[in-house]
Amino acid sequence: MTLAPLLAAPPVIQLHVAAAVGALVLGFAQFAIRRGTPRHRLVGRLWVGLMAVVALSSFWISGLRQVGPFSWIHVLSVATLVLLWRAVRYARMRRVAAHRWAMIGLFAGGLVITGLFTLLPGRLMHTVLFGPPVTRIADR
């Protein structure tokens, strides 16, 4: 593992990764916290803020470029922002089950599954965690 590629990346990518890692840690912590307590609400607010930073910062990251400066991942960013708004609205309306499932869906789909795609070879986080890709002699 080496942080060098991440430290060499543009600031928006560093912000994006820091917010995503923070949201991942807080998301797992939230599962251990008793629901409905002031601590649950505080961690939830922080998590929503971090997820908003992750989604919004993605619009300034355009490495995949499939449609102009955007890619399929930006559709997920828009969906994340909409679902964050809905999940918070559900909580304020005391629709606990709808809030719970919206948040679980955001955590699983918008953070964990999407995050796994960043571990594909050739992606920055793959290089950070597993090192640079190995080149074969025939590729040199």
Side-chain angles (χ1 to χ4, degrees):
M1 182 172 135
T2 177
L3 291 177
L6 184 57
L7 296 174
V12 71
I13 291 176
Q14 294 174 2
L15 173 67
H16 184 78
V17 171
V21 169
L24 188 65
V25 170
L26 284 181
F28 280 118
Q30 191 72 311
F31 287 118
I33 296 172
R34 198 166 131 241
R35 309 305 180 259
T37 63
R39 179 176 288 159
H40 173 82
R41 289 189 290 276
L42 174 63
V43 171
R45 286 182 179 107
L46 292 171
W47 188 83
V48 166
L50 287 171
M51 286 298 291
V53 169
V54 171
L56 290 169
S57 64
S58 76
F59 293 107
W60 283 268
I61 301 171
S62 57
L64 295 177
R65 293 182 188 256
Q66 294 165 327
V67 178
F70 302 110
S71 69
W72 63 269
I73 198 83
H74 293 104
V75 174
L76 293 174
S77 296
V78 171
T80 295
L81 292 169
V82 170
L83 287 173
L84 282 171
W85 175 80
R86 287 182 70 186
V88 169
R89 188 167 164 249
Y90 290 148
R92 289 182 177 165
M93 294 169 59
R94 308 247 187 261
R95 293 182 55 192
V96 176
H99 169 73
R100 178 187 311 115
W101 288 112
M103 288 302 204
I104 290 171
L106 277 165
F107 180 76
L111 195 58
V112 175
I113 293 171
T114 305
L116 290 174
F117 282 106
T118 69
L119 300 179
L120 291 172
R123 304 292 309 270
L124 177 70
M125 292 312 295
H126 181 274
T127 304
V128 167
L129 292 176
F130 306 115
V134 178
T135 57
R136 300 178 312 186
I137 294 173
D139 292 340
R140 291 186 194 168

